[in-house]
Amino acid sequence: MTFFTTTTERKTAENLFREMCTTIEKVEKKWNAKVIAFTTDASGESQKAQQLLKEKYPFMVTPDCYAHQINLIVGDYFKTKQIEFFDAASKANDLIAWLQSKTVVLGLI
């Protein structure tokens, strides 16, 4: 499969949308596969391109970038007071150890 070199093009939502559509068409034609999802990074241009893609292909799932979502979660974690987190994690470990020792409780769960 040939991919495009876009280093000289403006990075607009419309250009990205065009490349996404071209890629979908090539995958479906060459590999005889139905594309049901397409993800990008979480930039404003990418989100707009995803919106355009969703309008053209209403059945398609267009999630935000998973790596970006994880980055947000990790950032939120480091903003918390780590002592509180470790205290809660220790309590959770104690609870899990207690549950594992109670076969009747596990059976009920």
Side-chain angles (χ1 to χ4, degrees):
M1 178 175 290
T2 304
F3 292 95
F4 299 97
T5 301
T6 59
T7 54
T8 59
E9 293 183 27
R10 289 195 61 221
K11 306 304 185 248
T12 65
E14 291 75 17
N15 283 343
L16 177 58
F17 171 67
R18 186 187 77 241
E19 297 298 330
M20 293 163 77
C21 290
T22 301
T23 300
I24 290 167
E25 290 165 8
K26 284 186 173 190
V27 166
E28 290 184 346
K29 183 177 179 184
K30 183 170 182 163
W31 295 341
N32 197 29
K34 183 75 171 166
V35 177
I36 60 169
F38 206 114
T39 191
T40 64
D41 67 15
S43 73
E45 296 298 323
S46 296
Q47 289 178 354
K48 184 176 178 186
Q50 283 181 320
Q51 181 182 3
L52 294 171
L53 195 68
K54 190 72 172 170
E55 290 172 10
K56 182 173 180 175
Y57 302 102
F59 62 87
M60 192 167 292
V61 178
T62 57
D64 277 338
C65 174
Y66 183 71
H68 182 75
Q69 300 304 317
I70 294 299
N71 188 35
L72 292 174
I73 292 168
V74 170
D76 288 345
Y77 163 74
F78 283 115
K79 289 177 190 171
T80 64
K81 295 179 181 175
Q82 292 181 9
I83 298 296
E84 291 174 8
F85 174 80
F86 289 123
D87 184 49
S90 176
K91 289 177 181 176
N93 281 336
D94 291 344
L95 176 60
I96 291 167
W98 181 83
L99 283 171
Q100 288 176 333
S101 70
K102 308 299 181 205
T103 55
V104 173
V105 174
L106 286 176
L108 292 173
I109 294 175

